[in-house]
């Protein structure tokens, strides 16, 4: 009897689940149809005809046009290729993705790299080898920490001082390449970093006084600086108990840390 009841409940739950899925699917379909029919205007937008790597200068072969309902048009969508012809891609764009204004850097005069430098930032190139360059795994668009090492000399000896001098630095280019679609390691001789003017001065100073090391970061890592270690708790101060004072004819002699109570004759 119990087995039949359990089987019946199982079948009933399956039927309810199927019915709920059917109702939800019909609801979503009706909502989409209503949205499209409510605003039948269709607009032409510019989309990627292929995967466009970071730092690529846009050409006609990179894009295509497609029509989408105006009601679902994302903000900043490019409608005319002439608006972005010759400009630089600030981030990788996937095939079929609609081009947006905030993903495109103004081209203008000068090199491609100059267009990738953010306002009020500076591009600084440092020499690297296969160790400093993270075994060739650095690519444009990665972020790194810069670690500096230099000797600190005293009258007795000299010792190495190592610390992270700059956090979360964007890699603009490796060697003379600001865009690459390769994911395999390539040993390079120079890496160009995007820095604030103050960080640029600090980087050049450490490079002259010692050596640099780049530490590759995870793209989802948002840590800007290490949190300082908590200060140690203050040690409790022990107070020495004072000897009681007798109000009689007593003389108290204090010698260093010794206290002697001598009673005088009345």
């Amino acid at each position: 009897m119990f087995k039949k009841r359990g089987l019946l409940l199982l079948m009933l739950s399956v039927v309810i689940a199927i019915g709920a899925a059917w109702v939800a699917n019909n609801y979503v379909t009706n909502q989409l149809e209503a949205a499209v029919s409510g605003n039948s205007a269709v607009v032409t937008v510019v989309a990627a005809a292929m995967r466009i790597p970071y730092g690529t200068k846009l050409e006609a072969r990179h894009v295509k046009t497609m029509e989408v309902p105006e009601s679902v048009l994302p903000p900043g969508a490019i409608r005319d290729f002439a608006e972005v012809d010759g400009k630089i891609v600030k981030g990788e764009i996937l095939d079929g993705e609609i081009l947006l204004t905030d993903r495109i850097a103004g081209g203008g005069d000068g090199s491609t790299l100059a267009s990738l430098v953010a306002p009020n930032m500076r591009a600084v190139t440092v020499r690297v080898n296969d160790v400093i360059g993270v075994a060739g795994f650095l690519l444009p668009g990665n972020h790194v920490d810069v670690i500096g090492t230099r000797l600190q000399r005293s009258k007795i000896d000299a010792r190495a001082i190592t610390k992270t001098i700059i956090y979360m630095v964007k890699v603009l280019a490796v060697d003379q390449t600001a865009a690459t679609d390769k994911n395999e390691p390539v040993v390079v001789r120079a890496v160009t970093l995007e820095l604030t003017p103050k960080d640029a001065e600090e980087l050049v100073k450490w490079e002259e006084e010692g050596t640099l090391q780049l530490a590759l970061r995870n793209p989802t890592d948002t840590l800007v600086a290490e949190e300082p270690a908590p200060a140690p708790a203050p040690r409790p101060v022990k107070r020495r108990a004072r000897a009681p004072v007798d109000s009689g004819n007593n003389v108290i002699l204090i010698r260093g840390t010794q206290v002697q109570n001598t009673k005088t004759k009345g």
Side-chain angles (χ1 to χ4, degrees):
M1 178 178 180
F2 290 103
K3 291 184 179 180
K4 292 183 178 179
R5 181 178 299 176
L7 182 60
L8 180 62
L9 291 175
L10 179 61
M11 294 177 62
L12 182 60
S13 62
V14 171
V15 171
I16 293 175
I18 294 175
W22 179 79
V23 171
N25 181 64
N26 285 345
Y27 174 79
V28 172
T29 303
N30 292 336
Q31 291 296 318
L32 290 176
E33 292 178 353
V36 174
S37 61
N39 188 358
S40 58
V42 176
V43 295
T44 302
V45 295
V46 179
M50 61 182 72
R51 175 179 166 272
I52 307 176
Y54 162 85
T56 302
K57 180 178 289 188
L58 286 174
E59 301 176 3
R61 62 185 180 89
H62 293 131
V63 301
K64 62 183 179 181
T65 58
M66 57 186 300
E67 294 183 348
V68 297
E70 190 174 12
S71 58
V72 298
L73 190 67
I78 304 297
R79 300 193 185 188
D80 187 358
F81 175 67
E83 301 177 18
V84 295
D85 187 11
K87 295 187 177 181
I88 311 302
V89 175
K90 295 195 295 184
E92 181 182 12
I93 300 178
L94 302 179
D95 184 11
E97 184 178 349
I98 297 176
L99 270 61
L100 305 177
T101 54
D102 59 355
R103 302 287 301 278
I104 310 297
D109 298 331
S111 65
T112 300
L113 180 63
S115 300
L116 295 175
V117 181
N120 302 321
M121 302 293 282
R122 305 293 185 267
V124 179
T125 301
V126 295
R127 293 180 180 272
V128 298
N129 53 35
D130 55 342
V131 175
I132 300 175
V134 197
F137 282 98
L138 284 183
L139 296 175
N142 288 152
H143 286 79
V144 297
D145 290 344
V146 182
I147 304 172
T149 302
R150 64 185 174 189
L151 287 178
Q152 185 177 37
R153 302 183 183 275
S154 64
K155 295 181 179 179
I156 301 176
D157 59 1
R159 59 194 183 98
I161 302 296
T162 301
K163 73 171 187 175
T164 302
I165 57 176
I166 311 174
Y167 290 86
M168 206 64 179
V169 179
K170 183 179 180 181
V171 178
L172 292 177
V174 290
D175 272 349
Q176 296 180 347
T177 304
T180 178
D181 56 357
K182 298 179 180 179
N183 291 320
E184 301 188 5
V186 178
V187 178
V188 297
R189 296 168 297 176
V191 173
T192 303
L193 307 175
E194 184 182 64
L195 303 169
T196 64
K198 183 178 179 180
D199 287 341
E201 295 174 0
E202 189 75 7
L203 179 70
V204 174
K205 178 182 177 182
W206 276 83
E207 188 177 19
E208 291 294 328
E209 297 179 352
T211 60
L212 299 177
Q213 175 74 47
L214 303 181
L216 182 62
R217 300 186 61 141
N218 188 298
T220 61
D221 188 4
T222 58
L223 178 67
V224 176
E226 296 180 354
E227 297 181 358
R235 299 179 60 183
V237 179
K238 295 183 179 180
R239 298 182 179 275
R240 187 181 297 274
R242 300 180 59 183
V245 179
D246 192 356
S247 60
N249 296 326
N250 295 339
V251 176
I252 300 175
L253 299 178
I254 301 177
R255 296 176 179 175
T257 58
Q258 296 180 353
V259 178
Q260 183 178 1
N261 192 345
T262 303
K263 192 168 185 178
T264 62
K265 294 180 180 182

